[in-house]
Amino acid sequence: MHDESRRIEERVQRLHDQRIKTAIYAATVPFEVEAWQAPGEPVPFEEAADASYAPFAMGTPWGPPWGTTWFRMRGQVPKAWAGRRVEAVIDLGFVGDWPGNQAEALVHLTDGTPLKAVNPLNQYVAIANPATGGETVEYLVEAASNPDILADNFSRTTPLGDIRTAGDKPLYTFRSADIAILDEEVWHLDLDVQVLRELMLELGEHDPRRHEIAHALDRAMDLLDLDDVSGSAAVVREALKPVLSKPAHASAHTVSGVGHAHIDSAWLWPIRETKRKTSRTFSNVTSLADEYDDFIFACSQAQQYEWVRDHYPKVWSRIQESVKKGQWAPVGGMWVEADGNLPGGEAVARQFIHGKRFFIEHFGIETKGVWLPDSFGYNAAYPQLAKLAGNEWFLTQKISWNQTNRFPHHTFWWEGIDGTRIFTHFPPVDTYNARFSGEEMSRAVRNYQEKGGASRSLAPFGWGDGGGGPTREIMERARRLADLEGSAKVVVEHPDEFFAKAREEYPDAPVWVGELYLELHRATYTSQARTKQGNRRSEHLLREAELWATTAALHAPGYAYPHEKLDRLWKTVLLHQFHDILPGSSIAWVHREAEAEYARVARELQALTAEAVAALGSGTTRVFNTSPYDRAEVVRTADGAPVYVEVPASGSAPLADAEPPQPVTVSGRVLDNGLVRVEVADDGTLASVRDLRADREVLADPGNLLRLHTDLPNYWDAWDIDKHYKNRYTDLLDASSVSVVEQDPLIGAIRVERDFGKGSKITQTITVRAGSPRIDIETDIDWHETEKILKAAFPVDIRAPHSSAEIQFGHIQRPTHTNTSWEAARFEVSGHRWVHIGEPGYGVAVINDSTYGHDVSRTVREDGGTTTTVRLSLVRAPRIPDPEADQGRHRFTYALLPGATIEDAVAEGYALNLPLRVADAAGAPAPVVSVEGEGVTVEAVKLADDASGDVVVRLYESRGGRAQGVLRTGFPLAGAQITDLLERPLQEASVDGDGGVPVTLRPFQILTLRLRRS
């Protein structure tokens, strides 16, 4: 037989694209259209309904950037169309085929009922099936003219990312708004041909099935009447039935399809637009559920449900009905799909607490799994936190984006830092926006790493990132692929069902231990530094407010614990931990609003803490310590005078002078407090840091070396830092000023000022305080660089085989060598409040109050010694998607802690991030809780969320070893329970004869205790 593959393939493609697809709508009549441009921000339906509309012609430009245009559409179904399926078809002038970042619209009935959204891949609204003929149709269409930020494929900067700079030129040209007949036979033929053609192209050249499909398509095309596609469609479909009905191989891979619509809570659009996106997508989904009984849609992010509940109650009612019918599956159990690295431990716990409670309260459903397809790596505390929240499985997809190494598993047990394991799956289809194309199905089978051990994978299907969701075309593809020879089998089912089957099939799945590090998007640890700083400070202010509000509730008659305010503020912070806000990868508008929100949150939390402290009475100036560790350090009074004080953990003490171990002396550019001696060089670097207790020099080379690198990644500017950034740099060694600015027995400080680059300036104050080996470097940057990253280096004379970086509820060790490609790929990593390096008997920590990105490397010197260098990533200057990212002022502090153990790093990390508070308070209440025993660290103290008055305390083991201790209370204790994260009892906790709660923890174990008051 002659090879006619090319002829057939080209013939099928042309006939499909140019004849079949264009015949899907058999006849059309245009709507009469009028328009009204809403002024400023979006308006409610009622206001739009009462507005004055003007005639609007097709082909007219519309829509300024971020604007809202309302269209009134009126029309009538021709009487001759009786018995046909009739739809409204609207083309707003869509650009490309991605629904998420361009014109979108929500279609309403005239009474305000939302019907369905329209976007480039979902342009229809059902009118009647079948039509009686003569129906009058009238809609009000809310059209959003969101700019296409991706128009240049992230290759150029754009001012469109902020309404303040976007201008007002119309972005779109309205193409058509019609009432149309859907020719169902042609529509089904279109899908038959698509599925077969795509399957054919994925099969091997020597696979008989490929040629069988090709020739079947060729013969079927002979039956297609080019002058009457509609009239011949049924005959063509009949001819294709034999190849469409051949069952899949018995050993074929099974793909569990789960409807999905990934909606970034903010990204290339602001939060206000996400609120509308949810209404549009969720309207589409509930409409699709009415059409397809076998459709199941998985949806995460409780925050988005709440937006719909509050702003679109009719859509919310439809969601509730779909949940009852089992077609809508709440999943994920988190407030938002948060970044996987940057939120603090307690914040991750609250993500689960608020998310799961929302689904329990509103749907009576407790979600079983963590649904995080798109975060940029996942911290190693997740397995334990997920399990403590009642989850059984974990799903993500993003690790498939690895730049260097291919992750070895798709289904596996993920083991966290404490030893907890959770059953985990990465969809081998490598997308959370699947549409069941032939290429996707082939990729899922080809990629699947568990061949021979397991035979099923999951595929979230539906258009996403900016929403859109599943379409009827995708559902039809799933039906055709349910049992088709040459393809994987598709079954649409709930993700809980998939995970139950996968675990039953593969109980001895392999184990991956530790973090799930994404070898890409490493710059998200640093980009948009003010957003990250706002998050860090909000987390610590929330801790402070909860502790002192609890103290006041226990000891101040008449004080009411601010449950509702704290709940609202937590949710604001949790929202901004979304995986394109906190990582710094959103447009300018998003980060401008985030900074404003963090400022508001800070003001409210400061006020709540002040109210709680004031409730304890007045008359005596006291110092309040929110840290879980005793503190002996220098604090400043209201007039700025330094005082050395000793304050118990989570308690307070009078503002009274204590005796420091030794005063600070300042001689030239040398600071000495008897614990450390610091010499600042002429160029402003640290020429020497000598640990006087250990009698050793800490630095191998000048410390606090500021290095400015060129930073232009290959593609994703705000997301990525590529390894070649290291090759081009400038060391900032030209200090314009080095001067002593404070010389006191309690504080010595030297200020270094530098000007560099494009008008940037750095002022750093190097401070040594009495009684502490910690060397603080308070930094003020006026930043005006572009495509640069600024690093601060501490080359330490230590041979450290690994570094330890704090993560949520513990720390993780990473090798300092690059023996394998896995280690080499970790050239930029994340951590929270500290990084520690050490050799037996000696260690050093670098502490920070708001940075996350860092790198650790080592070299061997000519003298045989080893230099281990810790470098903090301070600030970047990407230009896409926000051309002004990080420009302007930044203020933060980092510190060097010589002679530090892990315990020291933990304590000083808390201390730097939780400054002592000086305030008036008459009483001296005992700390709400205190701990006797090493390694047991209190992370949160609060009143129970059910307003019972019980005290909830979250503890963890912070050193990485076994810990035993006793929790003491500052109030009469009636009993204690060990609970899950949602404060539900797991078991009774014992109480000893002295009223204490004995605690035994494994390494990095998290324990939540609920304490009943007498």
Side-chain angles (χ1 to χ4, degrees):
M1 181 182 291
H2 300 299
D3 183 3
E4 295 197 83
S5 299
R6 181 175 176 181
R7 177 191 64 80
I8 295 172
E9 291 166 10
E10 291 175 349
R11 180 192 189 197
V12 172
Q13 180 174 356
R14 181 173 187 184
L15 290 177
H16 170 263
D17 294 350
Q18 296 182 11
R19 298 305 171 91
I20 298 173
K21 186 167 285 295
T22 58
I24 288 175
Y25 285 105
T28 63
V29 294
F31 277 102
E32 292 180 6
V33 181
E34 297 175 309
W36 172 69
Q37 178 67 45
E41 287 296 283
V43 301
F45 174 86
E46 292 74 18
E47 183 176 339
D50 290 339
S52 297
Y53 286 72
F56 184 88
M58 294 300 98
T60 301
W62 71 279
W66 305 113
T68 301
T69 306
W70 285 81
F71 295 99
R72 177 173 283 135
M73 299 182 182
R74 295 188 180 95
Q76 189 171 44
V77 178
K79 292 184 178 180
W81 292 6
R84 306 297 296 272
R85 181 168 181 164
V86 178
E87 299 178 344
V89 184
I90 301 167
D91 185 343
L92 299 171
F94 301 116
V95 294
D97 62 359
W98 184 42
N101 192 48
Q102 59 163 300
E104 300 177 66
L106 181 61
V107 179
H108 302 77
L109 292 176
T110 54
D111 65 358
T113 301
L115 287 180
K116 187 176 169 294
V118 292
N119 62 51
L121 295 162
N122 205 340
Q123 298 183 20
Y124 76 96
V125 179
I127 294 176
N129 183 26
T132 58
E135 294 96 329
T136 298
V137 183
E138 185 172 352
Y139 297 139
L140 274 175
V141 179
E142 181 190 23
S145 49
N146 300 329
D148 182 8
I149 304 295
L150 287 177
D152 296 314
N153 201 27
F154 279 137
S155 63
R156 290 189 295 177
T157 61
T158 175
L160 293 172
D162 195 329
I163 196 169
R164 296 179 176 183
T165 58
D168 57 6
K169 181 180 178 181
L171 295 175
Y172 301 99
T173 299
F174 208 129
R175 291 198 186 98
S176 60
D178 298 319
I179 300 173
I181 297 173
L182 177 70
D183 191 320
E184 295 186 74
E185 201 68 48
V186 176
W187 181 68
H188 279 290
L189 174 60
D190 168 70
L191 288 157
D192 292 344
V193 173
Q194 283 188 54
V195 168
L196 286 171
R197 177 177 173 273
E198 290 175 4
L199 173 59
M200 171 188 71
L201 294 176
E202 290 299 321
L203 295 171
E205 292 286 347
H206 301 291
D207 191 324
R209 174 66 166 162
R210 175 175 181 140
H211 298 280
E212 178 187 32
I213 294 172
H215 286 279
L217 284 168
D218 195 29
R219 290 190 296 269
M221 294 303 101
D222 289 340
L223 302 174
L224 185 69
D225 186 339
L226 302 187
D227 296 319
D228 186 10
V229 172
S230 177
S232 58
V235 175
V236 178
R237 291 196 71 208
E238 190 67 27
L240 292 174
K241 273 187 178 179
V243 286
L244 273 171
S245 60
K246 281 199 170 183
H249 297 302
S251 59
H253 184 80
T254 299
V255 172
S256 294
V258 181
H260 186 48
H262 188 71
I263 306 177
D264 287 320
S265 290
W267 180 30
L268 305 179
W269 47 85
I271 287 173
R272 70 92 147 140
E273 193 56 32
T274 313
K275 295 176 182 178
R276 300 202 293 179
K277 283 179 174 291
T278 56
S279 71
R280 294 190 284 257
T281 294
F282 295 171
S283 295
N284 286 353
V285 169
T286 52
S287 295
L288 194 63
D290 291 338
E291 282 190 74
Y292 290 88
D293 292 339
D294 53 340
F295 173 60
I296 294 176
F297 179 73
C299 186
S300 65
Q301 304 197 76
Q303 172 69 88
Q304 295 183 2
Y305 287 76
E306 186 175 80
W307 284 333
V308 173
R309 182 200 68 188
D310 293 347
H311 300 288
Y312 298 90
K314 294 180 179 179
V315 178
W316 172 248
S317 296
R318 285 155 59 181
I319 292 172
Q320 290 178 308
E321 286 302 311
S322 290
V323 171
K324 289 177 184 177
K325 291 191 295 183
Q327 290 187 277
W328 186 296
V331 294
M334 297 178 73
W335 192 247
V336 296
E337 290 183 12
D339 179 81
N341 292 308
L342 306 180
E346 187 61 23
V348 178
R350 303 299 175 101
Q351 289 282 358
F352 284 122
I353 291 165
H354 286 290
K356 295 202 69 156
R357 280 215 184 108
F358 185 92
F359 295 133
I360 291 169
E361 177 183 350
H362 293 285
F363 302 119
I365 290 175
E366 178 158 359
T367 55
K368 295 183 179 180
V370 183
W371 184 278
L372 273 178
D374 191 32
S375 287
F376 311 143
Y378 305 89
N379 74 80
Y382 256 124
Q384 183 180 191
L385 285 163
K387 282 294 191 71
L388 287 173
N391 293 296
E392 300 173 0
W393 53 260
F394 190 98
L395 177 135
T396 184
Q397 177 268 322
K398 203 70 173 188
I399 302 299
S400 69
W401 286 37
N402 270 4
Q403 194 175 45
T404 305
N405 297 283
R406 183 181 182 189
F407 195 82
H409 313 299
H410 281 108
T411 302
F412 58 99
W413 290 96
W414 180 18
E415 181 179 312
I417 52 174
D418 72 308
T420 300
R421 293 179 177 179
I422 190 165
F423 197 69
T424 301
H425 181 68
F426 293 170
V429 71
D430 278 358
T431 181
Y432 46 81
N433 298 324
R435 62 183 185 89
F436 297 132
S437 69
E439 189 276 332
E440 288 174 347
M441 299 298 287
S442 176
R443 185 197 318 146
V445 175
R446 184 174 62 251
N447 278 355
Y448 191 54
Q449 303 271 49
E450 318 308 323
K451 297 181 185 75
S455 63
R456 63 181 65 243
S457 66
L458 185 145
F461 66 87
W463 302 101
D465 285 323
T471 63
R472 60 187 180 185
E473 289 79 11
I474 301 177
M475 280 300 297
E476 290 293 336
R477 285 171 170 271
R479 287 180 168 182
R480 286 160 173 78
L481 294 168
D483 192 15
L484 181 62
E485 183 186 353
S487 173
K489 296 180 288 187
V490 173
V491 55
V492 177
E493 61 183 350
H494 195 293
D496 286 348
E497 294 182 35
F498 162 77
F499 275 96
K501 293 173 184 176
R503 183 169 174 176
E504 181 181 7
E505 176 187 47
Y506 203 30
D508 57 345
V511 177
W512 180 269
V513 178
E515 67 180 329
L516 294 174
Y517 176 84
L518 177 63
E519 296 174 359
L520 198 71
H521 293 357
R522 303 167 181 91
T524 58
Y525 317 144
T526 305
S527 295
Q528 299 284 5
R530 284 184 293 269
T531 297
K532 291 174 171 58
Q533 186 177 73
N535 173 74
R536 176 77 69 85
R537 294 185 178 175
S538 295
E539 290 177 347
H540 288 83
L541 287 169
L542 280 160
R543 175 198 180 100
E544 186 177 31
E546 287 183 337
L547 173 64
W548 300 116
T550 302
T551 305
L554 295 176
H555 297 290
Y559 176 83
Y561 189 86
H563 282 284
E564 293 183 3
K565 290 181 180 178
L566 287 168
D567 180 81
R568 173 176 52 80
L569 291 167
W570 260 116
K571 287 175 179 176
T572 299
V573 174
L574 298 180
L575 165 60
H576 288 85
Q577 291 175 343
F578 178 75
H579 65 251
D580 275 307
I581 303 177
L582 184 52
S585 49
S586 290
I587 57 173
W589 191 347
V590 173
H591 292 288
R592 170 169 57 81
E593 289 191 331
E595 291 174 32
E597 281 293 278
Y598 284 131
R600 180 187 62 78
V601 166
R603 289 191 298 270
E604 288 198 48
L605 288 171
Q606 292 281 14
L608 287 178
T609 299
E611 289 169 10
V613 170
L616 297 172
S618 61
T620 304
T621 302
R622 299 185 66 82
V623 182
F624 293 81
N625 173 20
T626 307
S627 163
Y629 290 90
D630 295 343
R631 310 258 292 267
E633 62 186 66
V634 176
V635 66
R636 293 188 186 273
T637 62
D639 60 4
V643 179
Y644 186 78
V645 296
E646 295 176 352
V647 195
S650 305
S652 67
L655 180 63
D657 284 314
E659 187 67 31
Q662 190 169 324
V664 177
T665 62
V666 181
S667 177
R669 292 190 304 274
V670 177
L671 309 174
D672 189 326
N673 68 356
L675 302 174
V676 292
R677 185 169 65 241
V678 179
E679 180 182 348
V680 179
D682 291 343
D683 60 15
T685 61
L686 300 182
S688 171
V689 173
R690 189 155 194 88
D691 186 338
L692 301 176
R693 300 164 300 174
D695 191 24
R696 66 183 283 171
E697 174 62 42
V698 174
L699 299 176
D701 289 302
N704 193 35
L705 174 66
L706 298 175
R707 178 168 285 181
L708 187 67
H709 291 267
T710 296
D711 179 22
L712 183 65
N714 291 345
Y715 187 54
W716 301 85
D717 287 24
W719 290 258
D720 287 348
I721 178 170
D722 287 336
K723 201 168 188 176
H724 53 252
Y725 88 92
K726 294 184 178 182
N727 300 337
R728 188 174 180 86
Y729 58 86
T730 300
D731 289 339
L732 304 185
L733 297 174
D734 295 326
S736 59
S737 172
V738 180
S739 59
V740 175
V741 292
E742 190 155 16
Q743 189 168 354
D744 183 275
L746 294 180
I747 299 180
I750 294 173
R751 181 167 297 156
V752 179
E753 297 181 356
R754 306 179 190 277
D755 300 300
F756 65 95
K758 300 178 179 179
S760 297
K761 182 174 183 176
I762 300 179
T763 300
Q764 293 194 304
T765 304
I766 301 162
T767 303
V768 171
R769 294 175 175 84
S772 173
R774 197 180 84 199
I775 304 153
D776 287 358
I777 302 170
E778 300 166 51
T779 302
D780 188 320
I781 304 179
D782 188 11
W783 179 250
H784 298 287
E785 305 308 297
T786 56
E787 296 169 351
K788 298 288 191 295
I789 184 170
L790 182 66
K791 292 257 188 178
F794 292 93
V796 180
D797 188 7
I798 281 179
R799 183 170 176 80
H802 60 260
S803 64
S804 299
E806 186 187 42
I807 64 167
Q808 297 81 348
F809 293 106
H811 59 267
I812 188 170
Q813 294 181 344
R814 300 179 177 107
T816 55
H817 62 74
T818 54
N819 281 356
T820 72
S821 59
W822 293 89
E823 287 118 18
R826 286 171 166 80
F827 58 83
E828 181 80 2
V829 292
S830 66
H832 285 197
R833 291 170 291 211
W834 53 265
V835 180
H836 182 273
I837 55 173
E839 61 190 22
Y842 195 79
V844 170
V846 179
I847 318 289
N848 73 83
D849 73 353
S850 59
T851 64
Y852 295 88
H854 67 275
D855 68 87
V856 182
S857 60
R858 66 176 184 175
T859 60
V860 176
R861 305 187 299 270
E862 289 187 4
D863 65 4
T866 299
T867 300
T868 304
T869 301
V870 177
R871 300 200 311 158
L872 298 182
S873 301
L874 302 182
V875 64
R876 294 185 74 231
R879 303 183 67 209
I880 299 171
D882 175 6
E884 298 297 318
D886 279 318
Q887 298 299 300
R889 296 294 291 274
H890 301 269
R891 297 180 179 87
F892 51 84
T893 298
Y894 55 91
L896 184 68
L897 185 65
T901 62
I902 291 291
E903 296 94 319
D904 296 330
V906 172
E908 291 299 322
Y910 277 108
L912 186 62
N913 283 269
L914 292 165
L916 295 173
R917 174 181 288 266
V918 179
D920 285 345
V928 177
V929 294
S930 59
V931 175
E932 300 170 2
E934 298 296 323
V936 181
T937 298
V938 176
E939 178 61 17
V941 178
K942 58 188 285 293
L943 289 192
D945 290 341
D946 61 6
S948 63
D950 291 349
V951 175
V952 172
V953 180
R954 194 142 24 248
L955 313 160
Y956 72 105
E957 195 290 313
S958 58
R959 298 178 303 174
R962 299 272 175 178
Q964 288 186 317
V966 178
L967 181 79
R968 304 287 181 193
T969 63
F971 56 89
L973 182 64
Q977 292 176 324
I978 297 172
T979 74
D980 65 5
L981 292 185
L982 277 69
E983 302 171 8
R984 300 175 297 194
L986 299 175
Q987 65 183 71
E988 289 293 317
S990 61
V991 178
D992 65 22
D994 296 325
V997 181
V999 174
T1000 300
L1001 300 176
R1002 67 178 181 270
F1004 300 127
Q1005 183 181 355
I1006 303 165
L1007 185 69
T1008 303
L1009 292 172
R1010 186 177 182 126
L1011 309 174
R1012 297 189 300 277
R1013 293 188 278 161
S1014 296

